[in-house]
């Protein structure tokens, strides 16, 4: 049975605190994992390739580029009538800030004996971060919301829309100077199973009837990436 506390006549489940902690821990760890992939230098996740390419061209830090791209993508929600949640807005800022902070603390490395473990750690941590923030149920990230919105608007399958978006994102990022490599392939193959595993690990029980919680997307509605 889930405990609840009363605030101004509204029942608020105590596990709301857990959900908020999971949301922000997950988003921060997502930024950390993305920074580890950058330092490994063996290939980034699809949107990371674009962010890195834009950072190379503009001279802006990759974390700030991530924030700008997230904000632009969020604006694209307007014509497709998507509604952001707390997690959506938080995603725009927290991931980029955590990424830049980690890059400032973790130096670049040359030895392959260090780069490979960094890559593996980045991919696994990304899966854990995904499980944390999606299980919190505060809404999908801007990029995932764009994908689900286009799916609803066009009637095309999620798989087709996601593949199309990521092909365009990776190709554009690569042409701009982003890193595509073994890490990109490893991420594509591993992130699904890892996210599914960590979604079960970090699942938050559903609230009691009669309790009021902050609305957000269910884990099934959020698709793997902030």
């Amino acid at each position: 049975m889930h405990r609840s506390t009363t605030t101004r006549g509204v029942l608020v489940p105590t596990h709301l605190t857990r959900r908020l902690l999971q949301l922000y821990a997950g988003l921060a760890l997502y930024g950390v994992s993305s920074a580890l992939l950058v330092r490994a230098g063996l290939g980034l996740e699809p949107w990371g390739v674009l962010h890195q390419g834009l950072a190379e061209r503009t001279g802006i830090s990759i974390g700030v580029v991530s924030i700008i791209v997230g904000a632009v993508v969020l604006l694209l929600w307007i014509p497709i009538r998507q509604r952001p949640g707390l997690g959506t807005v938080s995603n725009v800022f927290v991931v980029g800030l955590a990424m830049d902070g980690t890059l400032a603390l973790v130096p670049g490395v040359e030895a392959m004996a260090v780069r490979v473990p960094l890559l593996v750690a980045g991919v696994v941590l990304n899966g854990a971060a995904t499980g944390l923030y999606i299980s919190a149920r505060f809404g999908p990230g801007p990029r995932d919301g764009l994908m689900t919105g286009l799916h609803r608007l066009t009637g095309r399958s999620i798989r087709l829309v996601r593949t199309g978006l990521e092909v365009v994102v990776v190709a554009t990022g690569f042409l701009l100077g982003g890193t595509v490599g073994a890490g990109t392939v490893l991420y594509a193959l591993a992130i699904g199973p890892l996210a599914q595993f960590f979604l079960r690990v970090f699942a938050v029980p559903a609230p009691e009837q009669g309790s009021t919680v902050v609305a957000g997307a269910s884990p099934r509605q959020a698709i793997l990436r902030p």
Side-chain angles (χ1 to χ4, degrees):
M1 182 173 182
H2 305 297
R3 295 180 180 179
S4 300
T5 57
T6 303
T7 303
R8 296 182 181 180
V10 179
L11 288 174
V12 181
T14 54
H15 70 253
L16 177 59
T17 301
R18 173 183 167 180
R19 290 176 60 208
L20 288 168
L21 288 174
Q22 282 196 199
L23 170 66
Y24 289 106
L27 293 177
L29 289 177
Y30 198 101
V32 172
S33 69
S34 295
L36 294 182
L37 294 178
V38 171
R39 287 295 184 237
L42 296 172
L44 303 178
E45 75 276 19
W47 285 90
V49 177
L50 176 62
H51 299 156
Q52 187 182 51
L54 288 170
E56 291 287 339
R57 294 288 181 172
T58 62
I60 302 172
S61 73
I62 190 170
V64 173
V65 168
S66 174
I67 292 172
I68 293 171
V69 171
V72 170
V73 171
L74 193 55
L75 289 176
L76 296 177
W77 282 33
I78 297 173
I80 59 177
R81 298 181 180 179
Q82 287 284 93
R83 293 184 179 181
L86 175 64
T88 309
V89 178
S90 298
N91 177 284
V92 173
F93 299 100
V94 176
V95 173
L97 293 174
M99 190 174 183
D100 272 353
T102 304
L103 288 172
L105 295 173
V106 179
V109 294
E110 296 294 334
M112 192 62 68
V114 179
R115 293 168 66 192
V116 171
L118 273 181
L119 169 64
V120 174
V123 172
V124 174
L125 187 59
N126 193 280
T130 298
L132 275 167
Y133 100 86
I134 290 180
S135 294
R137 304 195 311 271
F138 281 109
R143 298 154 186 83
D144 287 333
L146 175 63
M147 177 174 53
T148 55
L150 288 174
H151 155 68
R152 177 176 48 80
L153 191 67
T154 64
R156 303 293 184 180
S157 69
I158 283 286
R159 180 177 299 179
L160 179 61
V161 172
R162 176 175 179 174
T163 300
L165 278 175
E166 293 194 347
V167 166
V168 171
V169 165
V170 170
T172 303
F174 178 72
L175 291 174
L176 291 172
T179 304
V180 177
T184 309
V185 177
L186 176 62
Y187 183 92
L189 294 175
I191 191 60
L194 284 170
Q196 184 175 8
F197 170 76
F198 284 110
L199 279 168
R200 291 196 298 266
V201 171
F202 298 120
V204 179
E208 292 178 334
Q209 289 186 345
S211 296
T212 302
V213 298
V214 179
S218 69
R220 292 184 179 180
Q221 292 174 308
I223 315 292
L224 295 189
R225 195 182 41 257

